[in-house]
C-alpha cells in the first residue's frame, strides 16, 4: 500500500476505536500514524544523500518524539483517571483478561496473543471484517519483515560490504565498524539535540558516499529484494490474504472518513 492508504486505514481504525471508547464511557483523541513525517527507519544504514545533508542521522527527532509523547492527549487523559477508572479504560481499549484470547504462532516459533473484546479489536473487526484472520496475517507478515531484515544483515555479502565501507570511512577520518555504530554515536546523547550538528552531518554524508563507492548500498538493495522475494514465495498465502483484507478495508475506510 501507499503511505496515503496506510494513513487512511490508520485514521479509520482510530475513529472506530474512538467511537467504541466513547460508548464505553471514555474519551480518546485521534493521533496521526506518522507524527514526524521526515522521520525514517534506517535498518541498513543511510543511503539518501539529500536526507542526510538535512537531518544527519535524525538525532533531533529523539527530542521531538519525547515532546510528542509527553503532550499526547490520550496519555495525559489516562493520567487524570483514578486507578480504578484507568484500569477500566485499559480494559475497554485492549480487552479484559477473561475475554477470548486470539493466538498465532509466528514463523520464528513465538506465540503472540491478544484479547478480542477491546475497542482496538472491535475497530479492526469492523474495518477488516475478520478479526482473527487479520490478526494472524498481519502478525505473521510483521514477523517475516523483521526476519528478512535479519537475513540481510547476517548475509556474508552484506558483512563483507560493511567491512569495505568501514575502511572507506577510516580513510575519511571516521572510525566506525558499521553504519549502526556510526548512527549510535549520535543517537545516544539523551535526546537533547534540536538540530543535527556539523559533525553529524559530515559523518552521515560520508556514510552515504562510502555506501555508494564500496557497493554497500547496491548490495543491500539486492539482498533485501532477494530475501523479500523468497519470503513472499514461501508465504504467498499470507501476503495474498493480507492484501485482500487491506483492499476491502480501504473501501470501508474511505466511506467512514468521507462521511465524517
Amino acid at each position: 500500500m501507499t503511505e496515503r492508504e496506510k494513513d487512511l486505514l490508520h485514521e479509520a481504525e482510530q475513529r472506530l476505536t474512538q467511537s467504541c471508547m466513547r460508548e464505553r464511557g471514555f474519551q480518546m483523541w485521534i493521533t496521526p500514524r506518522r507524527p514526524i513525517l521526515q522521520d525514517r527507519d534506517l535498518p541498513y544504514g543511510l543511503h539518501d544523500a539529500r536526507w542526510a545533508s538535512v537531518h544527519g542521522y535524525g538525532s533531533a527527532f529523539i527530542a521531538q518524539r519525547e515532546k510528542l509523547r509527553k503532550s499526547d492527549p490520550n496519555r495525559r487523559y489516562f493520567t487524570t483517571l483514578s486507578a480504578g477508572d484507568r484500569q477500566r479504560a485499559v480494559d475497554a481499549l485492549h480487552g479484559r483478561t477473561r475475554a477470548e484470547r486470539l493466538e498465532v504462532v509466528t514463523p520464528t516459533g513465538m506465540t503472540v496473543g491478544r484479547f478480542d473484546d477491546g475497542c482496538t479489536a472491535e475497530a479492526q473487526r469492523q474495518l477488516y471484517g475478520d478479526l482473527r484472520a487479520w490478526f494472524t496475517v498481519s502478525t505473521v507478515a510483521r514477523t517475516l519483515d523483521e526476519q528478512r531484515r535479519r537475513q540481510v544483515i547476517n548475509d556474508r555479502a552484506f558483512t563483507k560490504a560493511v567491512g569495505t565501507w568501514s575502511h572507506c570511512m577510516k580513510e575519511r577520518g571516521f572510525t566506525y565498524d558499521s553504519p549502526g555504530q556510526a548512527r549510535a554515536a549520535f543517537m545516544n546523547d539523551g535526546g537533547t539535540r534540536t538540530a543535527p550538528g556539523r559533525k553529524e552531518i559530515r559523518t552521515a554524508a560520508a556514510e552515504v558516499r562510502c555506501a555508494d563507492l564500496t557497493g554497500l548500498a547496491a548490495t543491500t538493495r539486492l539482498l533485501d529484494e532477494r530475501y523479500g522475494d523468497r519470503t513472499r514465495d514461501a508465504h504467498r498465502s499470507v501476503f495474498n490474504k493480507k492484501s485482500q483484507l487491506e483492499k476491502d478495508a480501504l473501501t470501508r475506510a474511505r466511506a467512514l472518513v468521507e462521511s465524517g
Side-chain angles (χ1 to χ4, degrees), residues 20-58:
C20 174
M21 289 292 285
R22 186 184 299 120
E23 291 175 357
R24 299 187 186 191
F26 299 101
Q27 298 181 50
M28 177 181 164
W29 286 261
I30 296 174
T31 56
R33 183 177 73 89
R34 299 175 293 164
I36 306 174
L37 293 178
Q38 299 86 357
D39 201 357
R40 288 190 182 183
D41 183 22
L42 304 170
Y44 310 124
L46 269 171
H47 299 154
D48 187 333
R50 180 176 296 181
W51 191 90
S53 69
V54 177
H55 304 292
Y57 287 98

Side-chain angles (χ1 to χ4, degrees), residues 29-259:
W29 286 261
I30 296 174
T31 56
R33 183 177 73 89
R34 299 175 293 164
I36 306 174
L37 293 178
Q38 299 86 357
D39 201 357
R40 288 190 182 183
D41 183 22
L42 304 170
Y44 310 124
L46 269 171
H47 299 154
D48 187 333
R50 180 176 296 181
W51 191 90
S53 69
V54 177
H55 304 292
Y57 287 98
S59 62
F61 296 139
I62 299 176
Q64 292 181 42
R65 291 189 211 112
E66 181 61 17
K67 183 178 179 180
L68 286 169
R69 188 188 72 83
K70 290 181 178 179
S71 63
D72 177 65
N74 294 304
R75 178 178 178 275
R76 294 171 66 179
Y77 170 67
F78 268 66
T79 62
T80 66
L81 300 175
S82 65
D85 284 343
R86 188 180 304 123
Q87 184 58 56
R88 283 187 284 275
V90 170
D91 290 344
L93 183 62
H94 298 299
R96 298 163 295 178
T97 56
R98 62 178 179 274
E100 182 179 351
R101 182 174 171 85
L102 304 178
E103 291 189 344
V104 57
V105 179
T106 69
T108 59
M110 180 183 296
T111 299
V112 180
R114 68 175 298 177
F115 302 116
D116 74 340
D117 72 332
C119 283
T120 300
E122 180 58 30
Q124 292 178 355
R125 183 181 288 109
Q126 293 183 49
L127 191 59
Y128 295 99
D130 187 333
L131 177 63
R132 184 178 294 276
W134 172 248
F135 175 63
T136 298
V137 297
S138 61
T139 301
V140 171
R142 183 171 58 253
T143 302
L144 290 172
D145 185 54
E146 295 168 353
Q147 180 177 279
R148 184 194 80 249
R149 293 183 175 188
R150 287 194 298 271
Q151 289 172 325
V152 171
I153 292 172
N154 292 327
D155 192 283
R156 290 180 61 184
F158 180 84
T159 56
K160 182 179 179 180
V162 167
T164 308
W165 171 91
S166 178
H167 181 71
C168 174
M169 290 289 281
K170 287 177 182 177
E171 290 180 336
R172 287 160 173 75
F174 304 101
T175 55
Y176 299 109
D177 294 333
S178 69
Q181 188 183 73
R183 184 169 186 260
F186 298 96
M187 301 296 283
N188 295 335
D189 64 352
T192 58
R193 298 175 184 269
T194 57
R198 291 182 180 179
K199 184 178 179 180
E200 180 179 348
I201 294 292
R202 288 199 307 270
T203 307
E207 174 174 331
V208 175
R209 181 61 175 160
C210 283
D212 286 336
L213 290 174
T214 63
L216 175 59
T219 298
T220 299
R221 287 191 293 269
L222 177 64
L223 291 174
D224 191 67
E225 183 177 334
R226 179 185 300 167
Y227 283 112
D229 288 343
R230 290 180 185 177
T231 299
R232 284 186 290 273
D233 288 342
H235 302 274
R236 190 164 297 281
S237 61
V238 170
F239 290 102
N240 285 345
K241 181 64 174 179
K242 182 173 181 287
S243 179
Q244 185 59 54
L245 289 173
E246 287 171 335
K247 181 180 178 181
D248 294 342
L250 279 171
T251 301
R252 302 185 186 102
R254 289 192 183 96
L256 177 70
V257 172
E258 289 174 1
S259 69

